[in-house]
Amino acid sequence: MTGLRWPSRTRACTFPCPPIPLTVWADEERAVQILTNLVGNALRHTPAGGRAQVTAGINGTHVILTVTDTGAGISPEHLPRIFDRFYRADPARSRTDGGSGVGLTIARGLAEAMRGTLSVHSVPGQGTAVTLTLPVGPP
């Protein structure tokens, strides 16, 4: 993928390269849009000295990309709603300092349109992992 545009905030980011090429059956621009959103969220919610990481691998017929951070995490009561349009787990955040509340909604819709999934696992005080799965591309 090319054309990734990351937020300019400085955080430790790791982008490990898998030992084999990963080819996905997906719209490149939409996949970049999803990953840009996920990495932007990870960076926004990772404090100075924290860590944001992107990992990739293959699980059978799907490529799995996971964006993790060492931020505050998401409380269990908010997890079922984070993909809802305009939902913000922290009502004190405004559009100027916290986004519009539609990024994850759009990202999930794009993933599903490409026959993939977007899921989240989070532990308060430890961080969040968002996993994008996309079908493996043709040989």
Side-chain angles (χ1 to χ4, degrees):
M1 285 188 239
T2 60
L4 294 174
R5 295 171 298 280
W6 308 113
S8 61
R9 300 176 92 163
T10 303
R11 299 285 187 264
C13 296
T14 303
F15 298 97
C17 296
I20 57 173
L22 300 175
T23 303
V24 296
W25 193 251
D27 179 305
E28 180 179 354
E29 288 182 31
R30 300 297 71 91
V32 168
Q33 184 178 354
I34 293 168
L35 289 172
T36 298
N37 176 270
L38 299 181
V39 171
N41 284 347
L43 293 174
R44 186 178 307 113
H45 296 288
T46 300
R51 181 179 177 98
Q53 178 174 306
V54 178
T55 57
I58 296 178
N59 182 3
T61 60
H62 286 84
V63 170
I64 299 170
L65 300 160
T66 302
V67 178
T68 59
D69 67 59
T70 57
I74 303 166
S75 296
E77 67 268 17
H78 296 291
L79 285 174
R81 299 213 42 219
I82 65 164
F83 293 107
D84 292 354
R85 201 162 78 181
F86 304 120
Y87 184 76
R88 290 192 185 125
D90 181 359
R93 285 180 37 217
S94 68
R95 285 188 68 178
T96 57
D97 60 0
S100 63
V102 296
L104 287 176
T105 305
I106 293 169
R108 180 178 254 183
L110 293 173
E112 291 172 350
M114 294 185 288
R115 297 180 297 129
T117 62
L118 194 62
S119 60
V120 65
H121 173 77
S122 189
V123 177
Q126 294 182 19
T128 301
V130 182
T131 301
L132 169 66
T133 63
L134 293 170
V136 171

